[in-house]
Amino acid sequence: MQTNATYTSLVAIGDSFTEGMSDRLPDGSYRGWADLLAARMAARTPGFRYANLAVRGKLIGQIVAEQVDVAAAMQPDVITLVGGLNDTLRPKCDMGQVRGLLEEAVERLAPACKQLVLMRSPGRQGPVLARFRPRMEELFACVDDLASRHGALVVDLYGAPSLGDPRMWDVDRLHLTGEGHRRVAEAVWQTLGYDAEDADWRTPMPPSPPPGWGTRRTADARFARQYLLPWIGRRLTGRSSGDGLPAKRPDLLPYETPEA
């Protein structure tokens, strides 16, 4: 890994994690770690270009079919690929197929850029992580293997204590808060060889008193009503939250920081 790196372009591909949910801007759109990273890189490199092809809800097969060739054709300096976690959360998941598709993606992306970046995705502490941990860790073992064979960098978010804290996660319990996305951007920034702006991004937040029983039950009921039941409904009907949505930033264009 080089230090004091200079890259002139970035293409990010993946699902809701890379789209930026739930780091919401005042206009209702999502920002997220990839936008934050692009802003930092653009501030250092005039004319820096950025594309974000991520769409919420995408499975690894959809990412390969819809995003990989588009990203490769752009020939950017850096490509980030995060995918497969949505597959592991499905009741029925063929991990052999997931590994094969991820390998296909890496084999097509690695020669198309100067630096491919993969990730071990963060996991919120709780029953969901406990239930799906074996699948997630099988996915991350595949990520590590592919990185070693294709010269990719791996950002280890799964092993970061700070990102397991439930306070880093939105009320849907699936997406990071703005502070979580900021820490992910810092992690990728450092992995790419840039000087640290927050050397303590892995450090957990200070402890706080646990919420009372009533507060927890209210939060659980809200979560079930607004997020869990709709999620189950989409699974049963074969729908996705990203159906019909375009890529977040489909063209590799000069990055301009959006107005607040």
Side-chain angles (χ1 to χ4, degrees):
M1 179 180 67
Q2 62 179 312
T3 57
N4 298 314
T6 299
Y7 297 107
T8 63
S9 53
L10 166 68
V11 176
I13 68 176
D15 52 33
S16 59
F17 175 68
T18 301
E19 184 184 346
M21 296 173 72
S22 292
D23 183 15
R24 195 181 295 273
L25 293 170
D27 65 0
S29 64
Y30 293 113
R31 182 177 53 180
W33 66 265
D35 285 15
L36 292 168
L37 177 66
R40 286 194 190 186
M41 297 172 79
R44 176 169 293 208
T45 306
F48 182 84
R49 297 175 300 149
Y50 170 52
N52 189 325
L53 309 181
V55 177
R56 68 195 74 171
K58 294 298 182 182
L59 303 174
I60 186 61
Q62 294 170 308
I63 293 171
V64 171
E66 301 167 11
Q67 301 178 27
V68 166
D69 284 346
V70 177
M74 293 177 175
Q75 298 281 304
D77 283 355
V78 178
I79 297 176
T80 65
L81 165 64
V82 189
L85 199 61
N86 282 336
D87 298 78
T88 69
L89 299 178
R90 295 290 178 108
K92 295 181 180 180
C93 173
D94 183 340
M95 287 303 299
Q97 183 180 50
V98 171
R99 293 194 306 272
L101 287 165
L102 189 60
E103 181 168 12
E104 179 183 344
V106 170
E107 288 177 345
R108 286 152 65 178
L109 292 171
C113 63
K114 292 182 179 178
Q115 185 60 67
L116 178 62
V117 178
L118 308 176
M119 295 190 199
R120 295 161 56 92
S121 304
R124 181 185 186 276
Q125 295 299 326
V128 173
L129 177 62
R131 178 180 179 185
F132 294 104
R133 185 187 299 274
R135 289 182 182 174
M136 293 170 63
E137 294 185 347
E138 183 177 348
L139 176 69
F140 299 154
C142 179
V143 166
D144 290 342
D145 175 64
L146 290 170
S148 67
R149 290 195 282 121
H150 293 276
L153 299 174
V154 177
V155 184
D156 185 14
L157 306 174
Y158 183 70
S162 61
L163 295 177
D165 190 325
R167 291 173 294 175
M168 288 286 179
W169 297 76
D170 194 43
V171 293
D172 66 1
R173 305 181 184 181
L174 287 174
H175 301 106
L176 291 170
T177 62
E179 174 59 17
H181 280 283
R182 184 196 68 79
R183 294 193 185 213
V184 172
E186 178 66 32
V188 184
W189 173 262
Q190 292 183 27
T191 301
L192 283 170
Y194 293 101
D195 294 332
E197 295 187 10
D198 176 10
D200 298 321
W201 72 267
R202 290 176 172 268
T203 303
M205 297 171 67
S208 63
W213 183 88
T215 300
R216 295 198 306 273
R217 296 294 76 78
T218 299
D220 288 344
R222 179 187 176 190
F223 163 70
R225 181 178 67 254
Q226 295 186 359
Y227 301 102
L228 180 59
L229 292 178
W231 183 84
I232 292 174
R234 290 194 298 271
R235 298 290 81 74
L236 293 175
T237 58
R239 294 179 292 114
S240 166
S241 58
D243 287 348
L245 294 180
K248 178 178 183 178
R249 187 182 171 97
D251 300 311
L252 186 59
L253 297 173
Y255 180 81
E256 295 182 2
T257 302
E259 296 182 3

